[in-house]
Amino acid sequence: MSTRTFGEPVKRNEDRRLLTGQALFIDDIELPGMLHVAFLRSQVAHAKIVSIDVSSALKRSGVVAAFVAGDLGDYWQQGPLLVPPPPIAGIVFHQRTQVPLAKDKVRHVGEPLVIVIAESRYIAEDALDDIDVELEPLPAVVDLEKGLAHGSALVHDDVGSNVSAHVRQTKGNYAAAAAKADQIIKRRFLYEHGISSPIETRGVVAQWDKRANQMTIWDTTQAPVFVRNGLAGMLGLNERQVRVIAPFVGGGFGPKIMMFYPEEVLLPWVSMKLNRPVKWIEDRLEHFFATTHERGQIHDAEIALTRDGRILGIKDVFLHDGGAYDPYGLTVPINSQCTLLGPYVVPNYDSTFTQVFTNLPTVTPYRGAGRQHGVFVMERLLDFAARELKIDPAEIRRKNLIPPEAFPYKNEIIYQDFQPLEYDSGNYEPVLDMALEAIGYKAFREEQVAARLQGRHIGIGLACYVEGTGIGPYEGAKVQVQSNGKVSVATGIGTQGQGHFTVFAQIAADQLGVAVGDVDVVTGDTDQFYWGAGTFASRGAVVAGNAVNEASKVVRKKALKLASDLFECAEEDLVIEDGKVSIVGVPGKFVKLGDLARQANPMRGAVQPGTEPGLESTQYFGPKMGATANGVHAMIIEMDPRTFDLKILKYVVVHDCGTVINPMILAGQIHGGVAQGIGNAFYEKLVFDDQGQLLNASLADYLLPTALEVPRMELGHTVTTSPLNPMGIKGAGEAGAIPGGPLFAQAIEDALDLKGRGVELLEIPLSPSRLFELTRNAQR
Amino acid sequence: MDGDFHDITLSVNGKQYRRRVESRLLLSDFIRHDLALAGTHVGCEHGVCGACTVLLDGQPIRSCLMLAVQARNHEISTVEGLTDKDGEYHPLQQAMHDHHGLQCGYCTPGILMTMTAFLDENPSPTEDDVREALSGNLCRCTGYQNIVDAVMTAAMRTRSR
Amino acid sequence: MKPASFKYVAAASVDHALSLKAEHGDDAKFLAGGQSLMPAMNFRLAQPAVLIDINEIADLTGIRRSAAATRVGPVTRYRALQRDAAFARDFALIGEALPHIAHPQIRNRGTIGGNLAHADPASELPAIALALGARFHARTATQERWIEASDFFVGALTTDLQPDEMLVDIELLLPKPRTGCCFMEIARRRGDFAIVGVAAMMTLGERDECTDVRLAFCGVGETPIDASSAAEVLVGGTPTEAAIRDVAASMQGMIDPGGSVHATADYQRHIAGVLTERALRTAHQRVRDGR
C-alpha cells in the first residue's frame, strides 16, 4: 500500500463549499409548497395535562394545522430503546422512553405539547400564543438524592420510584484490598457536564411525495441509517421508500445521534397527512430543552493504596441524572464507571450506580459521554492520595500506569459495547513524560516561587485518561472507480465537521493511486449507502475508515486483475499511480483507471459467470471490540487571588490514537475538544431552580468559551498502533474534552495554595464566584 | 391580522434588489430565504453567536438583530461576495483552508465577514488583537487556534502583496 | 425565535418621532441600534405594537464640543465614540469602558442613547453617566426638560422617561483638570454584562491633596449606584492605601447586590470592594502620571 497521503496533513476537500457559503445545511432546503413548524412546549417541568385547546390557533390566517397527542392515533407510541442494558448480572433497568407529544403528563420543561404547521415560522410562533393549555403542576424532581427519597414525586408513576437503573460491577475484592491498605482516601464529588450547544441547532425537513410513493427526510442526525429504519417502520413504509439525508451538519457532538426525537417522528407524519413538505428548525431557545443534555453525577468514592502510592482498589457509589426518559440506556454512566479506571492498574474495583429519573431534559452522550465524570473522580483521588502520602502528583500517576507489556489489558467489567473492558494496546509512560517535558514540570516549582515574590499566583495541573474508541458494531463503504477516472466513496455514517470527506478520500486515494481531490465522498445519505450505525463514540475514522480501506483494497485488486488481463502480464509487474495502471519500468504502457472501469462495464458481449461489473466494491468492517486511546493534559494557569479570575498561560496535550490518517484534522479535533473541556470546567453551567426551570437559557448566560478564553494549545503525540484493525488506528474525537475538570481543579488548588488553607475542590464546574464561596471561610 | 409590508431597495454584494418585506422580517431571514443567499447562517437570534454576521456599509453587524426593512438603501455584503469575479478566494478564505480553520463550517461565514472587515482596518494585528476581534464569534468545533493562525497569515500575505 | 407583529415607521425627524410616540405612548418603542431591543423582541419578551425607527434622523447623532461640556446625540454609535480620539481622551471613563461593551459587531450598531434608555442594571454607561454627573435632554411633542443622571435611572430597565418622551441629547461635563479616571469591571467573559463595574474619578489640588472623588457602580443594584459619599473621607488629604481600603469597606455597606446565575450577592459585594480599591488606586496613579 502506497502511503503518499496517509499520515499527511492533507487539506480538506470539503472546504470550498463551506468557505464560499455554498454548502447545504438543513435550513437551506427550500421546497415548493413547504410549510413551517413550531412547537408549543411545556413551560413547567412536571404537570398533569388537563386540557389543550387549539381552536383559536386554527382560526389564525396562515395556520394550516395543529395536532396534539390524541390526533396521532396509533402513530403515537413511546420511542424505541436505542441501547439496551448491557448483560451485567443483577442489573435493574426500567425502560421509559420519550413520546412524540406529551399525553397525560409532561415530564420536563420544553416537552412538546402541540405541533403547529403554518405558512411561515413567524406565523407558527404567533399561533402558539393562541393555544390554551391547562396544566396541573406537580412537584418537580430535580435533586438526585431527594428524588430517591421516600415520598418524592415520581417522574414515572408506574415505576414506583425514580430509579431508572441500578448497576453494580466488580473486579476482584475491594473490601479485602481495603483491609490491607495503608491509606484510604474517601470523598464526595460532584461533576456536571453541560450541553453540546453546537452553533447549528437541530432541524428536520420531511417531504412525502404521494405520486412517487417516496418519503425524503433531511435531518441533522448523526445516524441517518437508523433514523431511516425506525421511521420507515413507524410510518408503515418499506425502508426503500424512505430516504434520510444528513446534509452538512453544523456540529454534532453526540446529542444529534439521539433518536427518535419527537420532531423526527412528527415531521414525516405531518407531511404525509397534509401532503406537503414541512420544515422544522430548532431555535436556540428550544435547543436548551428540546435537544438532549449531559448533566451531573454525585460520587461517593474511595481509593485504597499502599504507603508508597500503589493503588490496591477503588470503590465508588454514584448517582447519575438521567433526565425524564432513558432511551439511551446506560451508556453514559457505564462510560463513567469504566473510564474511571483510566490508564492505571486497579486490581480491585467495586462500582455501583443508580441512574435517576428527573424532571429535566433527557440525558444522552455528549462528547466524552460520561468519561469526564469518571476521570474527575480518579484524578482527584490520586491528587489527594499524593498529598497525604507526600508523593509528587506526577509520580503517583507514573507508579500506577499499566506497563506496556501488560497489553491487551483486561479490566473485566462490561463496557458500553457490551464487551468486557479490554485495552487493546498502549504505552502510557512516554506520553506522561512528553507532557511533563512540554509543560516544564521540573522547572515549574521554582517558577512558581519566583512568581509569588512578584505577587503572581500561578499553578499547574496534570491529568491522565484513557478513551475507549472505535467500537462496533460495524460500518460499510462502497468504493467505485468511475469512467472519468474519479473515485466515489459512500458510507452510511454522517459528518459534522470531522473531515470525513478528506480522511476517507486519503484512504481510498492511497490504495487506488489517485489524487485526494479526485475522490468524492458521500456520507449520510441512506440512498447512497444502505447500512451503518452512525457517527458517535469516536468511531468514524476507525470503523468507517477501515471499511473504506477494505473496499478500496478490493477495488485495487480488481483493477490490477483487469490490467494484468489486458496487458497479459503478472499483477506483480504492475503499479498504480496518478490514476493509471502501468507496467513497472514501462511507463508508456498504461491504462487509465477510468478506462478500466468502463471496460469493466461492457454494453455488449459476454462475461465470465460470477463477474461483478465495474470497478467497485462494498465492504464492511466490524471490530471485535473498541480500541483504547489515551492522553495526558497539562496546564499552567494564573489566578487573581482576590477576584478569582483565571487565565490559562500554557496548555499541553499529548495524545496517542494509534496510526494517524491526517494530523491536521486530528489536531483540530483535539483543539475543539479542549475548548469544550475548558467550557465544561470553568464557564458552562446549566442553572436549574428547584422547580426544574432553566434560569440561563440563552447564549448570553450559558457561557461558551470564546477566542479569549481558549488559549493556544501545544500538541504532541505518540503512536501505539491498534491490533484491532488493519490500519492500526484509534479514535480521537472526544479526547480533548475529557480531562478538563480535574486539570482545572488541581491547577486552581495549586495556584491559590488551597491545600495550605484546608480547601479541596470536589466539584465541576467552577467559577470565580464559586471559588470565592468555597474559600471565604478558609484560613488565609 | 394582516402584516405590515414595506417596499425596499437595497444592494447586496453589489447587486440591486427590490423587494416587499413584512416589517418584522429579520434581515438574516431576508438574506437567506428571500434572496436565497444561504451562506449567512443563523445560530441564536439574540446577537451572541455571530454566525449571522454580515457587513452593513462595510461594517460587521448581527443580521439577526436588524430588520430587513432597515436595510433599505444600504449596502450589504455577505460571504457569497468574498470570492472575486473569477471565483478566486479572498486571502482569508485561502488562509482558512491552508490552516484548517474550519471543521463543520457553520460559524465560518460569520467569521469571514467579521475578520475580513477587521483586516481591512488592521493590516498588522497582533495575536491578541485578532483574538479580541474574534471574540464576538462563537465556534464550537475548532478551539479558535487555527482561525487565529489563518487571520495572521492572511494579514501577512496581504501586506507582502 | 421570531418577533411578534408590529407596525414599523421610519421617523424622518425628531418631531415626527415624537408625534408618533405621543399618539401611541407605551404601545410604541423607539428602535435605535436594536442591540438590546431586538433580542428582547426575538424572544417575544418585548412586543411593541409600533416600532419607531430613529436611525435615519441625522439630528440625533454626533458629538458637539463646547468649552465646558460635550453633547452627544443619543443615536451616536459606540463605534463612533471609540473612533473619536478627542472624545476618548476627554471622557476616559467611557473610552475605557467601551471595549467591555459586547463585541465589535454590536458596537457598530449599538448607540449610547439606546444603552442609557434601556437602563440595564449591569450596563456600564449608566454608572459612568452618574460618575460624570451627566444630564439628559428629554422631549415630548410639546415640551422638554433636562434630567440629571441621578434622577434618570429609577429601576431595573426603567428610566424616568415618560411614555411620550424621547431622549434627544446627552450632556457630559468634562472632568475638572487634574482628574484621573479609571473604569474597571469583572465579567465572566470579555463583553459579557458586568458582574460588577466601577467608575472612579479622583481630582487632585495643587498640593496633590484629593479635592474630589466620584465613585459609581453597575451591577450591584436595580440601578447604577452612586457611592461617592463613601469616598468623601478621602477629600482634603493625600489618599493612602489604608484610606482607600477603608473607602472600599464602607462602600460595601452601601450596596445591595442581588446575585445572578453567574455570581452570588456576596461575591459581587466582595468584588465591588476589590474593584474600588484598584480603581481608586489607578485613578490616583493616573493623575499623578499626568494622564
Side-chain angles (χ1 to χ4, degrees):
Chain A
M1 170 176 142
S2 111
T3 50
R4 279 171 305 120
T5 73
F6 200 99
E8 294 300 310
V10 175
K11 293 184 203 165
R12 300 198 327 166
N13 281 344
E14 54 265 61
D15 279 358
R16 174 159 280 268
R17 294 168 69 187
L18 293 167
L19 284 166
T20 56
Q22 299 304 312
L24 184 81
F25 289 88
I26 189 121
D27 190 34
D28 305 343
I29 292 161
E30 309 278 2
L31 300 167
M34 189 167 75
L35 295 171
H36 297 263
V37 166
F39 285 89
L40 183 71
R41 298 180 181 278
S42 172
Q43 306 282 327
V44 297
H46 196 198
K48 287 201 194 112
I49 299 174
V50 176
S51 66
I52 305 177
D53 179 4
V54 303
S55 52
S56 298
L58 292 171
K59 295 201 191 87
R60 181 179 280 274
S61 164
V63 173
V64 172
F67 301 113
V68 297
D71 295 323
L72 302 174
D74 288 337
Y75 191 71
W76 188 98
Q77 350 163 5
Q78 297 185 345
L81 180 65
L82 303 172
V83 183
I88 297 170
I91 197 171
V92 169
F93 180 68
H94 297 120
Q95 173 183 336
R96 294 291 180 278
T97 54
Q98 71 289 353
V99 296
L101 289 169
K103 184 195 273 194
D104 301 329
K105 227 187 160 190
V106 290
R107 294 185 173 85
H108 65 87
V109 171
E111 191 166 11
L113 293 160
V114 184
I115 180 172
V116 174
I117 303 100
E119 299 290 342
S120 76
R121 174 74 183 214
Y122 289 70
I123 296 172
E125 288 189 18
D126 292 341
L128 299 182
D129 285 335
D130 300 332
I131 299 174
D132 243 313
V133 175
E134 208 189 320
L135 298 177
E136 195 183 288
L138 298 166
V141 179
V142 178
D143 178 281
L144 299 183
E145 288 172 299
K146 289 191 188 144
L148 290 175
H150 184 68
S152 166
L154 296 181
V155 179
H156 297 277
D157 300 297
D158 56 343
V159 173
S161 76
N162 288 315
V163 172
S164 155
H166 184 90
V167 174
R168 182 176 183 209
Q169 299 214 66
T170 62
K171 174 185 170 192
N173 183 337
Y174 175 77
K180 295 201 299 265
D182 297 318
Q183 183 77 45
I184 295 192
I185 306 281
K186 193 173 161 138
R187 295 290 189 277
R188 168 168 272 221
F189 299 102
L190 262 52
Y191 193 98
E192 286 170 34
H193 198 185
I195 56 168
S196 56
S197 196
I199 306 305
E200 187 198 33
T201 53
R202 288 192 300 119
V204 183
V205 176
Q207 180 182 40
W208 169 242
D209 185 330
K210 194 163 159 171
R211 296 173 68 121
N213 211 19
Q214 175 83 25
M215 171 71 77
T216 307
I217 301 167
W218 290 263
D219 186 352
T220 52
T221 177
Q222 293 168 228
V225 171
F226 274 106
V227 171
R228 186 268 320 271
N229 296 349
L231 289 179
M234 289 183 214
L235 295 164
L237 300 172
N238 294 328
E239 284 175 7
R240 278 291 181 200
Q241 286 176 275
V242 180
R243 178 181 186 188
V244 175
I245 301 169
F248 275 91
V249 173
F253 312 120
K256 286 179 180 171
I257 203 172
M258 162 61 191
M259 65 186 92
F260 295 80
Y261 278 108
E263 303 84 6
E264 283 173 326
V265 171
L266 286 168
L267 273 263
W269 181 86
V270 168
S271 184
M272 286 181 98
K273 194 146 170 78
L274 300 179
N275 206 24
R276 293 195 46 187
V278 284
K279 173 191 270 191
W280 170 75
I281 302 297
E282 181 186 56
D283 67 32
R284 183 58 58 179
L285 180 60
E286 281 180 291
H287 180 76
F288 282 94
F289 310 101
T291 291
T292 56
H293 295 184
E294 238 187 65
R295 283 192 305 271
Q297 295 176 357
I298 304 173
H299 287 251
D300 287 307
E302 63 181 77
I303 189 169
L305 309 110
T306 64
R307 75 171 46 82
D308 65 341
R310 227 175 359 100
I311 301 170
L312 294 173
I314 294 178
K315 180 173 173 186
D316 184 26
V317 176
F318 68 99
L319 302 182
H320 170 77
D321 174 4
Y325 300 103
D326 54 16
Y328 226 89
L330 304 176
T331 302
V332 176
I334 294 262
N335 278 345
S336 310
Q337 191 172 58
C338 291
T339 311
L340 183 150
L341 295 171
Y344 307 113
V345 176
V346 180
N348 301 283
Y349 186 45
D350 185 342
S351 169
T352 307
F353 71 80
T354 305
Q355 178 166 282
V356 185
F357 284 123
T358 57
N359 287 118
L360 299 173
T362 300
V363 167
T364 69
Y366 158 39
R367 200 173 200 172
R371 295 183 190 75
Q372 281 88 336
H373 309 67
V375 170
F376 182 69
V377 172
M378 172 62 104
E379 294 297 294
R380 292 268 71 203
L381 286 173
L382 285 176
D383 285 337
F384 299 137
R387 212 171 274 174
E388 286 299 322
L389 296 172
K390 303 199 184 346
I391 300 174
D392 176 88
E395 289 317 300
I396 201 171
R397 287 166 168 82
R398 182 193 302 279
K399 195 165 283 223
N400 287 289
L401 289 176
I402 297 167
E405 59 273 11
F407 290 90
Y409 184 77
K410 292 183 182 345
N411 260 320
E412 297 175 32
I413 60 174
I414 303 290
Y415 184 48
Q416 64 160 321
D417 61 353
F418 301 177
Q419 302 301 311
L421 183 63
E422 186 175 309
Y423 300 174
D424 62 318
S425 62
N427 189 1
Y428 298 150
E429 203 172 353
V431 179
L432 178 62
D433 283 330
M434 272 181 79
L436 294 175
E437 173 74 33
I439 199 75
Y441 196 76
K442 273 212 278 277
F444 181 74
R445 290 295 157 213
E446 281 170 27
E447 286 166 17
Q448 188 180 46
V449 168
R452 266 313 176 88
L453 294 173
Q454 298 175 335
R456 296 175 56 214
H457 291 70
I458 61 177
I460 195 166
L462 177 77
C464 306
Y465 64 94
V466 298
E467 181 196 353
T469 73
I471 57 174
Y474 74 92
E475 289 302 334
K478 179 167 104 167
V479 173
Q480 180 189 56
V481 178
Q482 315 210 286
S483 52
N484 63 359
K486 300 218 202 272
V487 177
S488 134
V489 173
T491 177
I493 65 173
T495 307
Q496 306 86 35
Q498 305 91 333
H500 293 155
F501 302 101
T502 307
V503 167
F504 296 159
Q506 284 177 260
I507 295 170
D510 277 1
Q511 289 290 357
L512 297 173
V514 299
V516 177
D518 283 339
V519 180
D520 156 49
V521 178
V522 172
T523 66
D525 181 343
T526 61
D527 265 12
Q528 299 259 11
F529 199 86
Y530 196 91
W531 302 97
T535 315
F536 58 95
S538 303
R539 66 194 289 279
V542 181
V543 189
N546 270 285
V548 172
N549 195 40
E550 294 305 309
S552 302
K553 285 190 327 206
V554 173
V555 172
R556 177 191 170 85
K557 192 108 187 51
K558 285 188 179 181
L560 288 174
K561 169 92 176 61
L562 274 174
S564 82
D565 288 345
L566 181 69
F567 295 144
E568 291 173 338
C569 68
E571 284 180 32
E572 299 77 57
D573 297 332
L574 294 169
V575 61
I576 309 186
E577 59 188 7
D578 297 330
K580 299 195 282 274
V581 187
S582 58
I583 298 186
V584 178
V586 192
K589 192 122 175 111
F590 70 88
V591 60
K592 290 201 219 160
L593 272 178
D595 291 337
L596 272 181
R598 205 162 345 102
Q599 287 173 32
N601 183 27
M603 279 169 69
R604 294 285 188 275
V607 299
Q608 289 294 318
T611 306
E612 290 174 353
L615 269 188
E616 82 167 51
S617 175
T618 298
Q619 299 297 322
Y620 298 91
F621 179 77
K624 80 173 202 280
M625 61 180 183
T628 304
N630 75 288
V632 176
H633 291 209
M635 177 175 77
I636 296 176
I637 61 168
E638 179 164 356
M639 296 220 55
D640 181 323
R642 300 187 72 197
T643 67
F644 300 95
D645 239 12
L646 179 152
K647 185 176 157 72
I648 301 175
L649 299 179
K650 197 169 162 117
Y651 197 109
V652 163
V653 177
V654 181
H655 183 244
D656 181 349
C657 60
T659 317
V660 176
I661 306 170
N662 185 321
M664 182 187 79
I665 288 180
L666 170 64
Q669 289 295 302
I670 306 277
H671 291 166
V674 168
Q676 286 178 317
I678 290 171
N680 179 197
F682 208 65
Y683 295 93
E684 298 176 44
K685 185 177 169 76
L686 292 168
V687 181
F688 290 100
D689 70 11
D690 60 10
Q691 286 311 301
Q693 293 289 339
L694 181 59
L695 301 178
N696 60 334
S698 87
L699 292 183
D701 287 321
Y702 182 80
L703 307 175
L704 304 186
T706 73
L708 290 173
E709 284 76 48
V710 183
R712 187 161 283 280
M713 297 158 268
E714 296 165 35
L715 308 192
H717 75 278
T718 64
V719 176
T720 55
T721 56
S722 174
L724 296 174
N725 63 79
M727 291 198 290
I729 61 181
K730 304 179 182 179
E734 292 165 278
I738 292 172
L743 205 62
F744 271 74
Q746 267 190 41
I748 295 170
E749 280 178 354
D750 190 39
L752 298 176
D753 188 28
L754 295 186
K755 166 188 169 186
R757 294 161 65 181
V759 176
E760 291 179 335
L761 297 178
L762 305 173
E763 63 186 72
I764 287 291
L766 294 165
S767 69
S769 175
R770 187 70 190 134
L771 289 170
F772 168 75
E773 294 295 333
L774 289 171
T775 56
R776 60 194 303 192
N777 297 318
Q779 312 114 312
R780 273 237 132 247
Chain B
M1 171 186 159
D2 291 305
D4 174 45
F5 288 85
H6 300 262
D7 293 311
I8 61 172
T9 312
L10 73 163
S11 171
V12 183
N13 299 327
K15 180 172 162 186
Q16 288 283 106
Y17 292 89
R18 183 190 214 86
R19 291 285 192 278
R20 191 160 170 75
V21 298
E22 190 185 0
S23 55
R24 64 171 167 169
L25 181 67
L26 298 175
L27 180 62
S28 42
D29 288 334
F30 174 72
I31 291 170
R32 288 179 46 71
H33 301 294
D34 288 50
L35 301 186
L37 294 168
T40 302
H41 297 147
V42 170
C44 75
E45 290 181 320
H46 48 282
V48 180
C49 76
C52 71
T53 305
V54 299
L55 303 188
L56 175 74
D57 302 328
Q59 292 176 24
I61 57 128
R62 312 285 207 217
S63 62
C64 71
L65 297 188
M66 198 161 154
L67 300 168
V69 65
Q70 291 185 287
R72 178 179 11 210
N73 300 327
H74 287 277
E75 166 79 44
I76 306 282
S77 312
T78 71
V79 66
E80 288 89 345
L82 275 187
T83 50
D84 71 14
K85 60 175 167 43
D86 300 317
E88 294 289 305
Y89 277 154
H90 181 286
L92 183 56
Q93 286 170 313
Q94 183 65 53
M96 286 280 277
H97 177 60
D98 294 336
H99 282 278
H100 186 37
L102 61 153
Q103 291 183 26
C104 81
Y106 196 75
C107 71
T108 305
I111 286 182
L112 288 172
M113 300 320 291
T114 298
M115 300 312 286
T116 51
F118 167 75
L119 285 174
D120 283 346
E121 294 198 336
N122 300 273
S124 299
T126 64
E127 175 164 339
D128 285 346
D129 294 335
V130 172
R131 284 182 179 270
E132 185 160 341
L134 191 53
S135 66
N137 291 79
L138 295 178
C139 174
R140 205 54 165 154
C141 292
T142 68
Y144 306 104
Q145 180 159 320
N146 290 348
I147 300 174
V148 172
D149 289 344
V151 176
M152 297 296 284
T153 293
M156 179 196 65
R157 287 177 180 167
T158 304
R159 287 195 304 269
S160 63
R161 274 217 291 217
Chain C
M1 295 127 53
K2 313 297 182 188
S5 296
F6 52 83
K7 183 164 154 55
Y8 169 89
V9 185
S13 67
V14 174
D15 288 331
H16 184 198
L18 287 172
S19 76
L20 286 166
K21 198 69 162 79
E23 184 186 341
H24 297 285
D26 273 341
D27 285 343
K29 287 194 85 70
F30 293 115
L31 176 62
Q35 305 301 283
S36 300
L37 181 57
M38 289 303 302
M41 288 179 66
N42 290 350
F43 270 106
R44 298 199 176 205
L45 295 172
Q47 297 190 34
V50 179
L51 211 53
I52 307 167
D53 187 341
I54 57 175
N55 284 285
E56 307 289 312
I57 305 176
D59 288 344
L60 292 177
T61 75
I63 304 171
R64 285 149 282 129
R65 256 172 225 89
S66 71
T70 292
R71 297 233 181 136
V72 184
V75 185
T76 307
R77 312 219 186 254
Y78 302 123
R79 174 193 167 91
L81 298 177
Q82 272 182 300
R83 277 163 165 70
D84 187 317
F87 183 86
R89 190 193 55 234
D90 290 342
F91 299 101
L93 281 178
I94 297 181
E96 199 160 26
L98 284 168
H100 291 285
I101 300 181
H103 298 284
Q105 298 95 327
I106 303 289
R107 296 197 291 269
N108 285 337
R109 277 304 277 173
T111 65
I112 181 171
N115 184 309
L116 292 168
H118 184 64
D120 190 304
S123 189
E124 299 82 354
L125 292 181
I128 294 173
L130 270 190
L132 291 172
R135 297 198 310 149
F136 305 118
H137 191 194
R139 280 188 55 193
T140 69
T142 53
Q143 299 180 307
E144 61 177 307
R145 63 181 174 128
W146 282 88
I147 312 171
E148 298 289 324
S150 49
D151 296 324
F152 187 74
F153 304 101
V154 302
L157 304 174
T158 316
T159 67
D160 192 47
L161 290 172
Q162 299 306 302
D164 57 349
E165 267 184 319
M166 178 163 84
L167 175 64
V168 296
D169 214 354
I170 299 154
E171 181 184 87
L172 304 171
L173 294 173
L174 284 157
K176 299 175 215 157
R178 294 203 84 214
T179 298
C181 301
C182 178
F183 179 84
M184 280 183 176
E185 81 173 47
I186 290 288
R188 286 299 340 259
R189 302 169 303 180
R190 172 90 61 84
D192 284 345
F193 281 110
I195 290 177
V196 177
V198 65
M201 299 168 66
M202 187 184 291
T203 310
L204 296 186
E206 284 172 0
R207 291 165 285 116
D208 280 353
E209 82 287 13
C210 177
T211 57
D212 194 14
V213 184
R214 304 282 302 147
L215 198 61
F217 290 88
C218 60
V220 295
E222 301 273 294
T223 65
I225 305 289
D226 186 340
S228 303
S229 58
E232 254 161 35
V233 68
L234 295 176
V235 173
T238 308
T240 61
E241 272 301 309
I244 287 176
R245 274 201 301 273
D246 286 343
V247 168
S250 80
M251 174 282 314
Q252 285 179 313
M254 288 178 66
I255 58 172
D256 188 24
S260 73
V261 294
H262 302 298
T264 61
D266 286 341
Y267 176 76
Q268 287 183 296
R269 192 184 307 275
H270 166 78
I271 288 298
V274 174
L275 290 184
T276 299
E277 288 179 34
R278 292 180 181 177
L280 284 173
R281 196 181 296 134
T282 305
H284 187 207
Q285 189 62 44
R286 283 179 177 165
V287 69
R288 293 202 316 259
D289 292 347
R291 287 198 279 130

